[in-house]
PDB file of all heavy atoms in Angstrom:
ATOM      1  N   ASN E 400     -71.203 -23.725  -2.670  1.00 95.00           N
ATOM      2  CA  ASN E 400     -72.045 -22.771  -3.424  1.00 95.00           C
ATOM      3  C   ASN E 400     -71.590 -21.370  -3.070  1.00 95.00           C
ATOM      4  O   ASN E 400     -71.535 -20.471  -3.925  1.00 95.00           O
ATOM      5  CB  ASN E 400     -73.504 -23.003  -3.155  1.00 95.00           C
ATOM      6  CG  ASN E 400     -73.975 -24.221  -4.026  1.00 95.00           C
ATOM      7  OD1 ASN E 400     -74.134 -24.121  -5.220  1.00 95.00           O
ATOM      8  ND2 ASN E 400     -74.227 -25.328  -3.352  1.00 95.00           N
ATOM      9  N   ALA E 401     -71.296 -21.136  -1.810  1.00 95.00           N
ATOM     10  CA  ALA E 401     -70.897 -19.742  -1.343  1.00 95.00           C
ATOM     11  C   ALA E 401     -69.548 -19.422  -1.966  1.00 95.00           C
ATOM     12  O   ALA E 401     -69.343 -18.310  -2.465  1.00 95.00           O
ATOM     13  CB  ALA E 401     -70.866 -19.673   0.110  1.00 95.00           C
ATOM     14  N   ALA E 402     -68.658 -20.370  -2.011  1.00 95.00           N
ATOM     15  CA  ALA E 402     -67.318 -20.092  -2.554  1.00 95.00           C
ATOM     16  C   ALA E 402     -67.434 -19.825  -4.038  1.00 95.00           C
ATOM     17  O   ALA E 402     -66.746 -18.934  -4.582  1.00 95.00           O
ATOM     18  CB  ALA E 402     -66.366 -21.280  -2.310  1.00 95.00           C
ATOM     19  N   LEU E 403     -68.267 -20.588  -4.756  1.00 95.00           N
ATOM     20  CA  LEU E 403     -68.431 -20.378  -6.184  1.00 95.00           C
ATOM     21  C   LEU E 403     -68.995 -19.002  -6.475  1.00 95.00           C
ATOM     22  O   LEU E 403     -68.551 -18.376  -7.496  1.00 95.00           O
ATOM     23  CB  LEU E 403     -69.240 -21.526  -6.761  1.00 95.00           C
ATOM     24  CG  LEU E 403     -68.579 -22.855  -6.886  1.00 95.00           C
ATOM     25  CD1 LEU E 403     -69.603 -23.905  -7.277  1.00 95.00           C
ATOM     26  CD2 LEU E 403     -67.431 -22.811  -7.825  1.00 95.00           C
ATOM     27  N   VAL E 404     -69.908 -18.579  -5.693  1.00 97.00           N
ATOM     28  CA  VAL E 404     -70.447 -17.184  -5.968  1.00 97.00           C
ATOM     29  C   VAL E 404     -69.428 -16.115  -5.755  1.00 97.00           C
ATOM     30  O   VAL E 404     -69.275 -15.177  -6.561  1.00 97.00           O
ATOM     31  CB  VAL E 404     -71.763 -16.973  -5.122  1.00 97.00           C
ATOM     32  CG1 VAL E 404     -72.121 -15.504  -5.070  1.00 97.00           C
ATOM     33  CG2 VAL E 404     -72.933 -17.733  -5.708  1.00 97.00           C
ATOM     34  N   ALA E 405     -68.630 -16.265  -4.732  1.00 96.00           N
ATOM     35  CA  ALA E 405     -67.573 -15.279  -4.504  1.00 96.00           C
ATOM     36  C   ALA E 405     -66.484 -15.334  -5.578  1.00 96.00           C
ATOM     37  O   ALA E 405     -66.068 -14.329  -6.095  1.00 96.00           O
ATOM     38  CB  ALA E 405     -66.899 -15.520  -3.116  1.00 96.00           C
ATOM     39  N   ASP E 406     -66.171 -16.577  -6.067  1.00 96.00           N
ATOM     40  CA  ASP E 406     -65.246 -16.731  -7.201  1.00 96.00           C
ATOM     41  C   ASP E 406     -65.791 -16.061  -8.393  1.00 96.00           C
ATOM     42  O   ASP E 406     -65.052 -15.372  -9.135  1.00 96.00           O
ATOM     43  CB  ASP E 406     -65.058 -18.227  -7.493  1.00 96.00           C
ATOM     44  CG  ASP E 406     -64.205 -18.981  -6.446  1.00 96.00           C
ATOM     45  OD1 ASP E 406     -63.671 -18.331  -5.563  1.00 96.00           O
ATOM     46  OD2 ASP E 406     -64.090 -20.196  -6.537  1.00 96.00           O
ATOM     47  N   LEU E 407     -67.006 -16.308  -8.674  1.00 96.00           N
ATOM     48  CA  LEU E 407     -67.630 -15.712  -9.887  1.00 96.00           C
ATOM     49  C   LEU E 407     -67.623 -14.222  -9.861  1.00 96.00           C
ATOM     50  O   LEU E 407     -67.275 -13.514 -10.817  1.00 96.00           O
ATOM     51  CB  LEU E 407     -69.110 -16.180  -9.958  1.00 96.00           C
ATOM     52  CG  LEU E 407     -69.463 -17.192 -11.036  1.00 96.00           C
ATOM     53  CD1 LEU E 407     -70.906 -17.556 -10.917  1.00 96.00           C
ATOM     54  CD2 LEU E 407     -69.188 -16.673 -12.433  1.00 96.00           C
ATOM     55  N   GLN E 408     -67.972 -13.684  -8.647  1.00 97.00           N
ATOM     56  CA  GLN E 408     -67.981 -12.180  -8.521  1.00 97.00           C
ATOM     57  C   GLN E 408     -66.573 -11.664  -8.798  1.00 97.00           C
ATOM     58  O   GLN E 408     -66.376 -10.637  -9.430  1.00 97.00           O
ATOM     59  CB  GLN E 408     -68.493 -11.771  -7.195  1.00 97.00           C
ATOM     60  CG  GLN E 408     -69.984 -12.076  -7.000  1.00 97.00           C
ATOM     61  CD  GLN E 408     -70.507 -11.822  -5.574  1.00 97.00           C
ATOM     62  OE1 GLN E 408     -69.670 -11.526  -4.686  1.00 97.00           O
ATOM     63  NE2 GLN E 408     -71.795 -11.845  -5.350  1.00 97.00           N
ATOM     64  N   GLU E 409     -65.594 -12.376  -8.201  1.00 96.00           N
ATOM     65  CA  GLU E 409     -64.210 -11.878  -8.381  1.00 96.00           C
ATOM     66  C   GLU E 409     -63.676 -12.086  -9.710  1.00 96.00           C
ATOM     67  O   GLU E 409     -62.688 -11.449 -10.141  1.00 96.00           O
ATOM     68  CB  GLU E 409     -63.282 -12.555  -7.290  1.00 96.00           C
ATOM     69  CG  GLU E 409     -63.603 -11.975  -5.935  1.00 96.00           C
ATOM     70  CD  GLU E 409     -62.919 -12.649  -4.768  1.00 96.00           C
ATOM     71  OE1 GLU E 409     -62.148 -13.631  -4.978  1.00 96.00           O
ATOM     72  OE2 GLU E 409     -63.244 -12.268  -3.630  1.00 96.00           O
ATOM     73  N   SER E 410     -64.251 -13.034 -10.458  1.00 96.00           N
ATOM     74  CA  SER E 410     -63.843 -13.228 -11.886  1.00 96.00           C
ATOM     75  C   SER E 410     -64.138 -12.047 -12.749  1.00 96.00           C
ATOM     76  O   SER E 410     -63.542 -11.871 -13.835  1.00 96.00           O
ATOM     77  CB  SER E 410     -64.468 -14.504 -12.501  1.00 96.00           C
ATOM     78  OG  SER E 410     -65.861 -14.231 -12.785  1.00 96.00           O
ATOM     79  N   GLY E 411     -65.152 -11.285 -12.365  1.00 96.00           N
ATOM     80  CA  GLY E 411     -65.529 -10.142 -13.171  1.00 96.00           C
ATOM     81  C   GLY E 411     -66.410 -10.515 -14.364  1.00 96.00           C
ATOM     82  O   GLY E 411     -66.865  -9.609 -15.062  1.00 96.00           O
ATOM     83  N   VAL E 412     -66.698 -11.836 -14.596  1.00 97.00           N
ATOM     84  CA  VAL E 412     -67.408 -12.228 -15.770  1.00 97.00           C
ATOM     85  C   VAL E 412     -68.895 -12.074 -15.485  1.00 97.00           C
ATOM     86  O   VAL E 412     -69.644 -11.603 -16.377  1.00 97.00           O
ATOM     87  CB  VAL E 412     -67.096 -13.701 -16.109  1.00 97.00           C
ATOM     88  CG1 VAL E 412     -68.068 -14.193 -17.245  1.00 97.00           C
ATOM     89  CG2 VAL E 412     -65.658 -13.880 -16.456  1.00 97.00           C
TER      90      VAL E 412
END
Side-chain angles (χ1 to χ4, degrees):
N400 283 285
L403 286 172
V404 164
D406 287 352
L407 252 178
Q408 291 175 353
E409 287 172 5
S410 78
V412 174

